[in-house]
Coordinates of all heavy atoms in Angstrom, one line a residue:
W103 N 189.5 87.0 122.0 CA 189.7 88.0 123.0 C 191.1 88.4 123.1 O 191.5 89.6 123.3 CB 189.1 87.5 124.4 CG 189.3 88.6 125.5 CD1 190.0 88.4 126.6 CD2 188.7 89.9 125.5 NE1 190.0 89.6 127.3 CE2 189.2 90.5 126.7 CE3 187.9 90.6 124.7 CZ2 188.8 91.8 127.0 CZ3 187.5 91.9 125.0 CH2 188.0 92.5 126.2
D104 N 192.0 87.5 123.1 CA 193.5 87.8 123.2 C 193.9 88.7 122.1 O 194.7 89.6 122.3 CB 194.3 86.5 123.3 CG 195.7 86.7 123.7 OD1 195.9 87.4 124.7 OD2 196.6 86.1 123.1
L105 N 193.5 88.4 120.9 CA 193.8 89.2 119.7 C 193.2 90.6 119.9 O 193.9 91.6 119.5 CB 193.3 88.6 118.5 CG 194.2 87.3 118.0 CD1 193.4 86.5 117.0 CD2 195.5 87.7 117.6
I106 N 192.0 90.7 120.4 CA 191.4 92.0 120.7 C 192.3 92.8 121.7 O 192.6 94.0 121.5 CB 189.9 91.9 121.2 CG1 189.1 91.4 120.0 CG2 189.4 93.2 121.7 CD1 187.7 91.0 120.4
M107 N 192.7 92.1 122.8 CA 193.5 92.8 123.8 C 194.8 93.3 123.2 O 195.3 94.3 123.7 CB 193.7 91.8 125.0 CG 192.5 91.5 125.8 SD 191.9 93.0 126.6 CE 193.2 93.3 127.8
K108 N 195.3 92.6 122.2 CA 196.6 93.0 121.6 C 196.4 94.0 120.5 O 197.4 94.6 120.0 CB 197.3 91.8 121.0 CG 197.8 90.8 122.0 CD 198.4 89.6 121.4 CE 198.9 88.6 122.4 NZ 199.3 87.3 121.9
G109 N 195.1 94.3 120.2 CA 194.9 95.3 119.2 C 194.9 94.8 117.7 O 195.0 95.6 116.8
H110 N 194.9 93.5 117.6 CA 195.0 92.8 116.3 C 193.5 92.5 115.9 O 193.1 91.3 115.9 CB 195.8 91.6 116.4 CG 197.2 91.8 116.8 ND1 198.1 92.6 116.0 CD2 197.9 91.4 117.9 CE1 199.3 92.6 116.7 NE2 199.2 92.0 117.8
Y111 N 192.8 93.5 115.5 CA 191.4 93.4 115.3 C 191.0 92.6 114.1 O 190.0 91.8 114.1 CB 190.7 94.8 115.3 CG 191.1 95.6 116.5 CD1 191.7 96.8 116.4 CD2 190.8 95.1 117.8 CE1 192.1 97.6 117.5 CE2 191.2 95.9 118.9 CZ 191.8 97.1 118.7 OH 192.2 97.8 119.8
K112 N 191.8 92.7 113.0 CA 191.5 92.0 111.8 C 191.8 90.5 112.1 O 191.0 89.6 111.6 CB 192.4 92.5 110.6 CG 191.9 93.9 110.1 CD 192.8 94.4 109.1 CE 192.4 95.8 108.6 NZ 192.1 96.8 109.5
D113 N 192.8 90.2 112.8 CA 193.1 88.8 113.1 C 191.9 88.2 114.1 O 191.6 87.1 114.0 CB 194.4 88.6 113.8 CG 195.6 88.9 112.9 OD1 195.4 88.7 111.6 OD2 196.7 89.1 113.3
A114 N 191.5 89.1 115.0 CA 190.4 88.7 115.9 C 189.2 88.4 115.1 O 188.4 87.4 115.4 CB 190.1 89.8 116.9
A115 N 188.9 89.2 114.1 CA 187.7 89.0 113.2 C 187.9 87.6 112.5 O 186.9 86.8 112.4 CB 187.6 90.1 112.2
L116 N 189.1 87.3 112.0 CA 189.3 86.0 111.3 C 189.1 84.8 112.3 O 188.5 83.8 112.0 CB 190.7 85.9 110.7 CG 190.9 86.8 109.5 CD1 192.3 86.8 109.1 CD2 190.0 86.3 108.3
E117 N 189.6 85.0 113.5 CA 189.5 84.0 114.5 C 188.1 83.7 114.9 O 187.7 82.5 115.1 CB 190.3 84.4 115.8 CG 190.4 83.3 116.8 CD 191.1 82.0 116.4 OE1 192.1 82.1 115.6 OE2 190.7 80.9 116.8
A118 N 187.3 84.7 115.0 CA 185.8 84.5 115.4 C 185.1 83.7 114.3 O 184.2 82.9 114.7 CB 185.1 85.9 115.5
Q119 N 185.6 83.8 113.1 CA 185.0 83.0 112.1 C 185.3 81.5 112.2 O 184.5 80.6 111.6 CB 185.4 83.5 110.7 CG 184.5 82.9 109.5 CD 184.7 83.7 108.3 OE1 185.0 84.9 108.3 NE2 184.4 83.1 107.2
K120 N 186.3 81.1 112.9 CA 186.6 79.7 113.1 C 185.8 79.1 114.2 O 186.0 77.9 114.5 CB 188.1 79.6 113.5 CG 189.1 80.1 112.4 CD 190.5 80.0 112.9 CE 191.5 80.7 111.9 NZ 192.8 80.7 112.5
S121 N 185.0 79.8 114.9 CA 184.3 79.3 116.1 C 183.0 78.6 115.8 O 182.4 78.7 114.7 CB 184.0 80.5 117.0 OG 183.0 81.3 116.4
T122 N 182.5 77.8 116.8 CA 181.2 77.2 116.7 C 180.1 78.3 116.7 O 179.0 78.1 116.2 CB 180.9 76.3 118.0 OG1 181.2 77.0 119.2 CG2 181.8 75.1 117.9
W123 N 180.4 79.4 117.3 CA 179.5 80.6 117.3 C 179.2 81.0 115.8 O 178.0 81.2 115.5 CB 180.2 81.7 118.1 CG 179.4 83.0 118.1 CD1 178.0 83.2 118.2 CD2 180.0 84.3 118.1 NE1 177.7 84.6 118.2 CE2 178.9 85.3 118.1 CE3 181.3 84.8 118.0 CZ2 179.1 86.6 118.1 CZ3 181.5 86.2 118.0 CH2 180.4 87.1 118.1
Y124 N 180.2 81.0 115.0 CA 180.0 81.3 113.6 C 179.1 80.3 112.9 O 178.3 80.6 112.1 CB 181.4 81.4 112.9 CG 181.2 81.8 111.4 CD1 181.0 83.1 111.1 CD2 181.2 80.9 110.4 CE1 180.8 83.5 109.7 CE2 181.1 81.2 109.1 CZ 180.8 82.6 108.8 OH 180.7 82.9 107.5
S125 N 179.3 79.0 113.2 CA 178.5 78.0 112.5 C 177.1 78.0 113.0 O 176.2 77.7 112.2 CB 179.1 76.6 112.8 OG 179.0 76.2 114.2
Q126 N 176.8 78.6 114.2 CA 175.4 78.7 114.7 C 174.8 79.9 114.3 O 173.6 79.9 113.9 CB 175.5 78.6 116.3 CG 175.9 77.2 116.7 CD 176.2 77.2 118.2 OE1 176.4 78.3 118.9 NE2 176.4 76.1 118.8
T127 N 175.4 81.1 114.3 CA 174.8 82.3 114.0 C 175.8 83.2 113.2 O 176.3 84.2 113.7 CB 174.4 83.1 115.3 OG1 175.5 83.2 116.2 CG2 173.2 82.4 116.0
P128 N 176.0 82.8 111.9 CA 177.0 83.6 111.1 C 176.7 85.1 111.0 O 177.7 85.9 110.9 CB 177.0 82.8 109.8 CG 175.7 82.1 109.8 CD 175.4 81.8 111.2
I129 N 175.5 85.5 110.9 CA 175.2 86.9 110.7 C 175.7 87.7 111.9 O 176.2 88.8 111.8 CB 173.7 87.1 110.5 CG1 173.3 86.5 109.1 CG2 173.3 88.6 110.6 CD1 171.8 86.5 108.8
R130 N 175.4 87.1 113.1 CA 175.9 87.8 114.4 C 177.4 87.9 114.4 O 177.9 89.0 114.8 CB 175.4 87.1 115.6 CG 173.9 86.9 115.7 CD 173.2 88.2 116.0 NE 173.4 88.7 117.3 CZ 172.6 88.4 118.4 NH1 171.6 87.7 118.2 NH2 172.9 89.0 119.5
V131 N 178.1 86.9 113.9 CA 179.6 87.0 113.9 C 180.0 88.0 112.9 O 180.9 88.8 113.1 CB 180.2 85.6 113.7 CG1 181.7 85.7 113.5 CG2 179.8 84.6 114.8
R132 N 179.3 88.0 111.7 CA 179.7 89.0 110.7 C 179.5 90.4 111.2 O 180.3 91.3 110.8 CB 179.0 88.7 109.4 CG 179.6 87.5 108.7 CD 179.1 87.4 107.2 NE 177.7 87.0 107.1 CZ 177.2 85.7 107.0 NH1 178.0 84.7 107.0 NH2 175.9 85.5 106.8
D133 N 178.5 90.6 111.9 CA 178.3 92.0 112.5 C 179.5 92.4 113.4 O 180.0 93.4 113.3 CB 177.0 92.0 113.5 CG 175.7 92.0 112.8 OD1 175.7 92.3 111.5 OD2 174.7 91.7 113.4
F134 N 179.9 91.4 114.2 CA 181.0 91.7 115.1 C 182.3 91.8 114.3 O 183.2 92.7 114.6 CB 181.2 90.5 116.1 CG 182.1 90.8 117.2 CD1 182.1 92.0 118.0 CD2 183.1 89.9 117.6 CE1 183.0 92.2 119.0 CE2 184.0 90.1 118.6 CZ 183.9 91.3 119.3
Q135 N 182.5 91.0 113.3 CA 183.7 91.1 112.4 C 183.8 92.5 111.8 O 184.9 93.1 111.7 CB 183.7 90.0 111.3 CG 184.0 88.6 111.8 CD 183.8 87.6 110.7 OE1 182.8 87.6 110.1 NE2 184.9 86.9 110.5
K136 N 182.7 93.0 111.3 CA 182.6 94.3 110.6 C 183.0 95.4 111.6 O 183.8 96.3 111.3 CB 181.2 94.6 110.1 CG 181.1 95.9 109.3 CD 179.8 96.0 108.7 CE 179.7 97.4 108.0 NZ 178.3 97.6 107.5

Side-chain angles (χ1 to χ4, degrees):
W103 178 245
D104 193 43
L105 289 164
I106 290 169
M107 289 296 292
K108 291 176 180 172
H110 301 295
Y111 308 121
K112 288 175 181 50
D113 290 340
L116 289 171
E117 187 62 36
Q119 192 162 334
K120 298 176 188 175
S121 68
T122 53
W123 176 37
Y124 182 80
S125 66
Q126 294 166 344
T127 55
I129 292 171
R130 300 291 288 269
V131 175
R132 285 194 290 268
D133 286 345
F134 190 50
Q135 288 176 305
K136 185 178 178 185

